[in-house]
């Protein structure tokens, strides 16, 4: 478009276009947040990839190893709530920088040496540093975009989770097999510090953080009405349904991170090298599903379909498909079929995050968004506190069949999550009530 063409556009149209054009800086920040989540989940994936090596090195039972991984989530949820509330008051740039520095430093004690006590202690600290990462990163990305353009950046930041595991699985597996599992901790710590330095230079908060598209930023309220606003959000059917559904999806994510590599090796008979490759497949499928969901949801909403269908029921369909795949695993004949169904179930069942984040971002008033996202994340990630230890006990008591029984349990949870998403989520309806 030439300068003359631009001047011919009415001022109101130009203002509207500018208000909805996020700009190059928005995509640069979004790209950095994708890398942020890649590093975050590479950190989480190390222990799952090195499960057999850690257990052999430290003489741990499956229950002990599950306990060490559950310890990661001991302060994870609390930190998510505290920092989520803080995110409504403090620059998101600095919160993300501090988190990246803390989780890099938290890798060092276990990398230097020590046994189960050091393992548990460092996982607790790492969990506290990483607990708020996903909701704050999403809030930071969405702060650069108006509501009707948030599906893609939200999906991309969530995609960072997938890309982190896909890239980390083969590389960290090689490091673990050739240089030991402690060397892998040094690798992820170093990468985290490099990102922190880059973010210090390039990171920034977006213009939609405190206001919706086209509105002037609202002043931060210091009146005692803050709690009733949160209460209306947390008491809404949409927040409750989204949180329940996301809990069941995160249960699948926790199992993928901690026990999927062991299941592929010990339960399905794959070699360590093959398992290191296969473990990336459900995350790769999840990436395709995330982008497909974002495209479908955005397409529906641009055509006037309400978010009850575009977000809630599309998300419910993903959970339902994941549950059906998991339920078919015990009946499948042969390792190949079981592996394919397991991959499909994990990829579909673990892909609810973007639906959850964009739904709550639509539901919550701008000044309460950080607390709403952080509290949801805190509740949801209790699945990570429960699942690793429970599955470890199932494996210790039931042998390799414990892995398959854990998959069936996950299927039941996903079915419940699908029902919650289908029947309860309606952000347009509940947003009007929470802002009343």
């Amino acid at each position: 478009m030439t300068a003359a063409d631009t001047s011919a556009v009415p001022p109101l149209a130009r203002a509207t276009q500018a208000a909805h054009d996020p700009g190059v800086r928005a995509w640069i920040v979004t790209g950095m947040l994708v890398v942020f989540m890649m590093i975050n989940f590479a950190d989480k994936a190390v222990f799952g990839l090195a499960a057999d090596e850690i257990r052999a090195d430290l003489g741990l039972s499956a229950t002990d190893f599950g306990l060490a991984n559950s310890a990661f989530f001991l302060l994870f949820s609390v930190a998510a709530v505290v920092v989520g509330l803080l995110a409504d008051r403090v620059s998101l740039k600095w919160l993300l920088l501090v988190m990246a520095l803390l989780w890099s430093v938290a890798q060092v004690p276990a990398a230097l040496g020590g046994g189960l006590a050091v393992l548990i202690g460092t996982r607790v600290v790492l969990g506290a540093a990483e607990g708020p990462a996903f909701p704050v990163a999403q809030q930071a990305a969405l702060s650069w975009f108006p509501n009707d353009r948030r599906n893609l950046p939200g999906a991309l930041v969530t995609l960072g989770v997938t890309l982190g595991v896909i890239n980390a699985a083969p590389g960290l597996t090689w490091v673990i097999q050739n240089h030991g599992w402690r060397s892998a901790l040094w690798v992820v710590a170093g990468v985290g510090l490099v990102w922190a330095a880059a973010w210090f230079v390039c990171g920034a908060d977006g213009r939609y953080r405190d206001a919706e598209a086209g509105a002037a930023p609202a002043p931060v309220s210091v009146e005692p009405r803050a709690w009733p606003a949160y209460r209306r959000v947390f008491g809404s059917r949409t927040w409750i349904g989204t949180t329940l559904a996301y809990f069941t999806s995160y249960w699948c994510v926790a199992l993928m991170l901690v026990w999927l590599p062991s299941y592929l090796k010990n339960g399905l008979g794959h070699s360590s090298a093959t398992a290191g490759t296969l473990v990336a497949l459900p995350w790769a499928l999840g990436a395709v599903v995330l982008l497909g969901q974002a495209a479908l949801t955005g397409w529906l909403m641009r055509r006037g379909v309400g978010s009850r269908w575009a977000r809630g029921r599309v998300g419910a369909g993903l959970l339902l498909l994941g549950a059906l795949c998991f339920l078919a695993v015990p009946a499948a004949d042969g390792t190949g079929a079981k592996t394919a169904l397991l991959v499909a179930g994990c990829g579909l069942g673990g892909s609810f995050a973007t639906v959850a984040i964009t739904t709550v971002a639509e539901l919550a008033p701008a000044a309460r968004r950080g607390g709403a996202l952080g509290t949801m994340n805190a509740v949801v990630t209790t699945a990570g506190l429960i699942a690793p230890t429970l599955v470890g006990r199932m494996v210790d008591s039931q042998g390799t069949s414990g892995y398959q029984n854990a998959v069936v349990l996950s299927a039941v949870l996903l079915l419940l999550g699908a029902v919650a998403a289908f029947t309860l989520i309606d952000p347009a309806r509940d947003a009007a009530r929470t802002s009343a």
Side-chain angles (χ1 to χ4, degrees):
M1 179 178 287
T2 66
D5 292 333
T6 302
S7 63
V9 179
L12 180 59
R14 289 203 305 271
T16 302
Q17 181 180 10
H20 285 76
D21 182 10
V24 174
R25 183 72 181 276
W27 293 109
I28 292 174
V29 170
T30 300
M32 292 199 69
L33 293 170
V34 172
V35 177
F36 175 83
M37 291 309 305
M38 289 175 65
I39 300 168
N40 181 284
F41 266 74
D43 288 352
K44 292 182 178 72
V46 170
F47 272 36
L49 295 170
D52 290 348
E53 289 79 5
I54 294 173
R55 289 178 59 190
D57 185 22
L58 302 182
L60 305 179
S61 67
T63 301
D64 290 336
F65 181 72
L67 177 63
N69 280 277
S70 290
F72 176 85
F73 292 95
L74 187 62
L75 297 179
F76 193 97
S77 298
V78 174
V81 173
V82 172
V83 178
L85 294 171
L86 194 62
D88 288 332
R89 300 288 186 267
V90 178
S91 168
L92 301 176
K93 171 183 176 176
W94 298 112
L95 287 177
L96 291 164
L97 178 63
V98 170
M99 277 187 272
L101 291 172
L102 284 177
W103 78 50
S104 297
V105 173
Q107 306 283 359
V108 174
L112 290 172
L116 180 60
V118 172
L119 211 63
I120 290 176
T122 56
R123 296 301 281 181
V124 171
V125 174
L126 183 64
E130 293 195 348
F134 184 66
V136 175
Q138 286 280 3
Q139 188 183 4
L142 299 185
S143 73
W144 286 89
F145 299 87
N147 181 53
D148 62 350
R149 300 194 65 175
R150 286 175 177 163
N151 293 302
L152 180 56
L156 289 174
V157 174
T158 307
L159 187 60
V161 173
T162 298
L163 294 176
V165 179
I166 290 174
N167 286 278
L172 291 179
T173 297
W174 182 88
V175 172
I176 291 163
Q177 291 179 346
N178 291 276
H179 300 283
W181 63 274
R182 297 186 195 273
S183 296
L185 298 180
W186 286 114
V187 171
V188 293
V191 174
L193 291 174
V194 170
W195 184 90
W199 180 253
F200 177 77
V201 175
C202 301
D205 293 350
R207 56 177 165 159
Y208 295 111
R209 178 183 176 184
D210 298 313
E212 297 303 331
V220 176
S221 173
V222 294
E223 299 178 4
R225 294 186 60 192
W227 166 241
Y230 280 124
R231 184 179 61 191
R232 287 195 292 270
V233 173
F234 298 151
S236 68
R237 294 177 64 190
T238 292
W239 191 88
I240 293 170
T242 302
T243 302
L244 287 173
Y246 191 14
F247 175 91
T248 67
S249 183
Y250 201 88
W251 183 281
C252 293
V253 172
L255 291 184
M256 283 194 285
L257 286 169
V258 178
W259 287 114
L260 180 59
S262 294
Y263 185 16
L264 291 170
K265 288 186 285 186
N266 304 325
L268 297 178
H270 295 289
S271 67
S272 295
T274 302
T277 301
L278 290 175
V279 76
L281 292 182
W283 300 96
L285 174 61
V288 175
V289 173
L290 281 172
L291 293 175
Q293 175 270 318
L296 176 59
T297 296
W299 181 82
L300 290 172
M301 294 184 71
R302 285 192 298 272
R303 279 153 181 76
V305 177
S307 50
R308 176 185 183 186
W309 278 92
R311 286 177 173 148
R313 296 190 173 175
V314 168
L318 294 178
L319 298 181
L320 176 61
L321 290 173
L324 294 177
C325 290
F326 278 162
L327 287 173
V329 169
D333 186 17
T335 299
K338 288 181 181 293
T339 301
L341 288 168
L342 183 64
V343 165
C346 289
L348 291 163
S351 299
F352 192 80
T354 302
V355 173
I357 293 293
T358 54
T359 297
V360 172
E362 179 182 353
L363 167 71
R368 304 291 176 259
R369 192 165 293 142
L373 291 171
T375 304
M376 176 183 68
N377 204 62
V379 175
V380 163
T381 52
T382 57
L385 183 65
I386 301 167
T389 299
L390 178 60
V391 176
R393 290 179 178 175
M394 293 173 71
V395 172
D396 276 340
S397 62
Q398 303 169 20
T400 55
S401 62
Y403 293 115
Q404 184 166 278
N405 292 335
V407 170
V408 174
L409 173 61
S410 299
V412 174
L413 291 174
L414 287 176
L415 287 174
L416 294 175
V419 171
F422 190 87
T423 58
L424 298 178
I425 291 178
D426 190 347
R429 173 200 64 201
D430 291 338
R433 296 176 181 176
T434 58
S435 60

